[in-house]
Amino acid sequence: MGATPPKPNTTTVTSPLDLRKFVNQNSYFGFSASTGVGAAQLNCVLRWNLTVEYYHDVNWVKIGLIAGIPTAVLLPTSVVLVYYFRKRWLLRQSDRKMSGKVKSMPGMPRVYQYRDLQKATNNFDKAMKLGQGGYGVVYKGKLANQKDLEAAVDQDLVVAMKMFSRESLKGQDDFFQELTIINQLRHKNLVPLLGWCHNHGKLLLVYDYMSNGSLDKHLFNDANSKPLSWNLRSKIISGVASALYYLNNHYNKRVVHRDIKASNIMLDAELNAKLGDFGFARTLDNEKTSYTEAGGVPGTIGYMAPEYLFTGKATEQSDAYAFGAVLLEVVCGRRPGTQIGTYPLLVDWVWSLHPEGHLLEAVDSKLGEYFVAEEAQRFLLMDLACSHPTASERPKTQEIFHMLSGSMPLPRVPLFKPPYLLAPMPMLEEDIIPAITPDTTFFTAVGSDSHIEIV
């Protein structure tokens, strides 16, 4: 036989064919040929190839579900995981930065572990909550097996811990500011700082626990409890004055508290007054007389001096004004914002009693006759002096301290409440009325009895 002829370059017959329509799953293939009647021909199959391709029907809905469901689940999960790990990384960086700042400060108090504080408060249970303010929540906690240096034994330690509510950079600034100030303060009438914690983005300060709570609680919230005796009230007033005198004069950087009020005055087991909550406190440079808060005017209405509301500048005189408000509520047993008759504020009512010599009518009625009249008279006159609308006319905290001790006479108190005068205000050129001469000075005077005077 000769050589096998090559495969043709072109297909002689081609036709698409769906074999599923004509053959079974298992079938035989063969070849047949025909030349017609009366003829004969030899046919030989030299080579053949059979390729069968079978495609299932494409269900795009199923394909979309199979591919889309994992994608829909994995994509948000991936985003959450990325956010979570990035946040943890940022918190760790923040923790390291804050810890580095605080640890570099000389004489720093103890550093507490977050898990220990969490355990001490039963995971910061609401039942352990002592109070809440603009800067955070205060919890009561019990730290187990703490070293008592005096007793030389390990015992449980009850503490109050303040958790800052803001975890932003501003919150960290508040934390660092408070920690910086309190760490360097040492006075028997200030709430002592025991330690601090900065972990997992949480900012906490740990204080000695004051078992008798706040002065506010004893004056106003416990209706069924026995009212504070006059001797205790006098003791509390002297303690707060001593703490304020120390802050404004003895501490080397001079501190203005800026939020002196009954709820920030704590009482220990012996009912000694201790001034606390330094979230608003700021130091004053020796060459300056005020500190301007860029983010607004912090404080509590009723305790804020009038010039502080207008200028946003806290001074020793604005702390003296707040002390006067505390002095008033301790003696009178009423809140500074109490309206009495036509008088919108408690201090206005007390001013109205002064011209007729009836100041003692303002003494807390719950005391009955059990108070020292001469001392009460002195306290109320000191309050009016501290409440003078003009800052420069108020006694300084050093003078307040000596007046309370009796080593300095009381200042002269006017019979009627003076009006509050704003300092001259610079005018813009477009605001000047042509009929007014350029050398005119503008003042605004606000009187005590809802009348306005222009000077």
Side-chain angles (χ1 to χ4, degrees):
M1 296 182 62
T4 302
K7 179 181 178 181
N9 293 328
T10 59
T11 304
T12 305
V13 177
T14 180
S15 176
L17 180 64
D18 186 354
L19 295 179
R20 291 178 301 173
K21 297 178 181 179
F22 305 102
V23 299
N24 297 324
Q25 178 69 27
N26 300 313
S27 302
Y28 296 92
F29 290 87
F31 300 92
S32 65
S34 174
T35 60
V37 180
Q41 181 178 338
L42 177 62
N43 292 286
C44 181
V45 178
L46 299 177
R47 182 184 302 166
W48 70 281
N49 180 55
L50 176 65
T51 301
V52 178
E53 295 180 356
Y54 173 61
Y55 300 96
H56 291 281
D57 292 334
V58 177
N59 190 329
W60 293 107
V61 175
K62 291 182 179 180
I63 293 176
L65 289 175
I66 293 172
I69 290 177
T71 303
V73 172
L74 291 175
L75 184 60
T77 303
S78 301
V79 172
V80 171
L81 288 175
V82 170
Y83 173 78
Y84 171 75
F85 285 110
R86 175 174 170 77
K87 184 177 180 181
R88 287 197 62 181
W89 181 83
L90 290 174
L91 287 176
R92 287 195 188 101
Q93 296 300 315
S94 176
D95 289 345
R96 292 192 186 99
K97 182 178 179 181
M98 178 62 71
S99 298
K101 277 186 178 181
V102 176
K103 289 178 181 178
S104 64
M105 295 164 55
M108 276 307 301
R110 174 176 175 177
V111 180
Y112 287 95
Q113 295 297 320
Y114 181 78
R115 61 177 176 270
D116 294 334
L117 301 184
Q118 192 175 31
K119 182 179 179 181
T121 57
N122 193 21
N123 197 22
F124 300 101
D125 191 344
K126 289 183 179 179
M128 306 297 285
K129 184 177 175 181
L130 293 175
Q132 184 171 357
Y135 274 64
V137 181
V138 180
Y139 295 92
K140 179 182 178 181
K142 182 181 289 187
L143 293 167
N145 300 323
Q146 301 297 303
K147 179 69 69 176
D148 188 324
L149 298 179
E150 295 183 0
V153 295
D154 291 346
Q155 61 182 19
D156 292 345
L157 176 65
V158 181
V159 298
M161 57 189 75
K162 178 179 178 181
M163 176 184 286
F164 281 66
S165 58
R166 290 174 290 181
E167 298 178 13
S168 63
L169 181 61
K170 182 64 173 69
Q172 292 186 17
D173 289 342
D174 296 336
F175 171 81
F176 189 67
Q177 178 69 49
E178 182 166 354
L179 186 57
T180 302
I181 293 175
I182 300 177
N183 177 56
Q184 301 179 61
L185 300 177
R186 302 288 186 274
H187 192 274
K188 65 178 182 178
N189 293 112
L190 296 178
V191 178
L193 177 69
L194 302 180
W196 64 282
C197 173
H198 183 239
N199 199 10
H200 301 295
K202 302 293 184 181
L203 309 175
L204 297 106
L205 293 179
V206 181
Y207 297 95
D208 193 6
Y209 176 67
M210 298 289 106
S211 57
N212 275 305
S214 70
L215 174 61
D216 183 274
K217 167 188 168 185
H218 289 271
L219 287 176
F220 308 116
N221 295 343
D222 288 350
N224 298 323
S225 64
K226 184 179 178 180
L228 290 173
S229 68
W230 180 257
N231 287 339
L232 278 175
R233 297 186 193 215
S234 178
K235 175 183 175 182
I236 290 169
I237 289 171
S238 296
V240 176
S242 179
L244 190 58
Y245 175 36
Y246 167 78
L247 291 176
N248 287 170
N249 299 278
H250 283 182
Y251 177 55
N252 59 356
K253 290 186 179 179
R254 299 180 61 214
V255 174
V256 286
H257 189 280
R258 301 201 301 173
D259 201 24
I260 300 169
K261 56 184 178 181
S263 59
N264 285 340
I265 298 169
M266 312 305 294
L267 304 177
D268 66 10
E270 288 76 35
L271 293 172
N272 295 306
K274 294 183 182 290
L275 186 58
D277 198 342
F278 288 78
F280 289 153
R282 293 294 184 270
T283 57
L284 297 179
D285 293 337
N286 292 330
E287 299 172 355
K288 296 182 180 180
T289 59
S290 65
Y291 178 94
T292 302
E293 177 73 9
V297 180
T300 304
I301 298 298
Y303 302 87
M304 300 169 68
E307 76 278 359
Y308 185 39
L309 286 169
F310 283 100
T311 65
K313 295 182 178 181
T315 65
E316 180 183 350
Q317 285 73 31
S318 59
D319 269 1
Y321 186 95
F323 174 78
V326 170
L327 185 61
L328 195 63
E329 59 186 337
V330 171
V331 174
C332 302
R334 304 172 190 250
R335 297 187 184 277
T338 302
Q339 179 175 351
I340 302 177
T342 59
Y343 301 99
L345 297 174
L346 177 61
V347 68
D348 293 326
W349 175 63
V350 175
W351 271 107
S352 72
L353 300 174
H354 180 41
E356 303 299 327
H358 295 161
L359 279 178
L360 293 182
E361 294 180 15
V363 176
D364 191 350
S365 60
K366 295 192 292 293
L367 291 171
E369 300 295 325
Y370 297 100
F371 66 93
V372 181
E374 182 182 355
E375 193 174 32
Q377 180 84 8
R378 187 168 75 252
F379 285 165
L380 289 169
L381 286 173
M382 284 182 59
D383 160 66
L384 295 183
C386 292
S387 302
H388 197 293
T390 303
S392 60
E393 296 296 324
R394 296 174 205 142
K396 297 183 181 298
T397 51
Q398 181 179 2
E399 296 170 338
I400 293 172
F401 176 77
H402 290 303
M403 284 188 287
L404 284 173
S405 66
S407 60
M408 184 175 179
L410 294 175
R412 187 188 68 83
V413 179
L415 287 179
F416 300 94
K417 181 180 179 181
Y420 170 59
L421 298 179
L422 277 176
M425 301 173 61
M427 302 294 291
L428 298 176
E429 184 177 352
E430 57 268 25
D431 294 331
I432 297 177
I433 302 174
I436 300 176
T437 60
D439 57 350
T440 301
T441 303
F442 291 82
F443 290 86
T444 302
V446 182
S448 60
D449 297 323
S450 303
H451 68 274
I452 299 176
E453 301 175 3
I454 304 298
V455 181

